[in-house]
Amino acid sequence: MPASINLRNVLILAHPNLPDAAENAAQVSQHFATQGVSAFHGLLYDEVLRQMVRDGRIDLLIALGGDGTMLRAGHLCAPNDVPILGINMGRFGFLTEIQLEQWRDIMPGLFSGDYWLEQRMMLRAELWRAGELQGSWEVLNEVAVSRGHIVRPVHLIASVDGRYLTTYVADALIAATATGSTAYALAAGGPVLPPELRNILLVAVAPHLSVDRAIVLADGSSVSITVNTDHEAALSPDGQAPISLLDGDRVNAYASEHSVRFVRFQDPGYFYRNLTPHMNQNPITGTPR
């Protein structure tokens, strides 16, 4: 997608748990100020700064952190159509664009327009109980309906576009975006989807004598997951704190009207070029490179 950012006001947010987060955010902010751009900086959960995005006062958000930071930035920016540039200070970098040590070298391309904007689909997830909406969430990776603390599978009735699909007996059922296909869904044995796709991916976790293959739904299709259990179950949107579910609760997931826009300096083939290095080395394990 052609670049079209009017760089007037930029917000730099850093994840508070990372070393030198505030200092790095301040350095990036100062760089923009020297270029005549109004720049604001702080930590990811600063509500005063986040409100600036919601008020339409920010043209670009720069997120310093890892993929988790990018998810939180996406939740904030997508409803307000604010593009995101990710600077990797974390461990994984599926979603970030540049490494921390690279940002000074990359910035001239941002000012000259030598970049493109990548659109990523989001899901809207809704929790219904006894015909009443209990809550809704916009997610970039996935929504998971799972068992709770008791180590027993749950029965999950899945319907696609209002038509019965199957009943899963499993630890969880994941409804993921193409972006989420490299997250929890991948760990559960699902396929990797190109990030530009707007399809929902269904992946069961530890299915017991039920459908054990991932299913890619058609573009525009929705999924409904109804809980059938006599013990604890939970809903987790994008890995956030779980929400307790009751027997008969229904979770609907469908394409959101909002999309996340990421700033990219690499060519559009970057995803496949970077895929193998990410897959071969999980930085969480500390495996030598």
Side-chain angles (χ1 to χ4, degrees), residues 32-50:
F32 276 96
T34 62
Q35 302 296 317
V37 177
S38 296
F40 310 87
H41 69 277
L43 300 179
L44 181 62
Y45 300 110
D46 185 319
E47 271 304 317
V48 174
L49 295 176
R50 292 170 67 89

Side-chain angles (χ1 to χ4, degrees), residues 206-250:
H208 179 67
L209 299 179
S210 55
V211 176
D212 62 354
R213 293 292 184 268
I215 300 174
V216 180
L217 304 186
D219 185 344
S221 286
S222 62
V223 62
S224 174
I225 304 168
T226 301
V227 178
N228 184 3
T229 183
D230 59 1
H231 57 88
E232 189 179 22
L235 164 67
S236 180
D238 263 353
Q240 299 179 59
I243 297 101
S244 295
L245 298 177
L246 303 178
D247 181 54
D249 282 358
R250 185 179 80 252

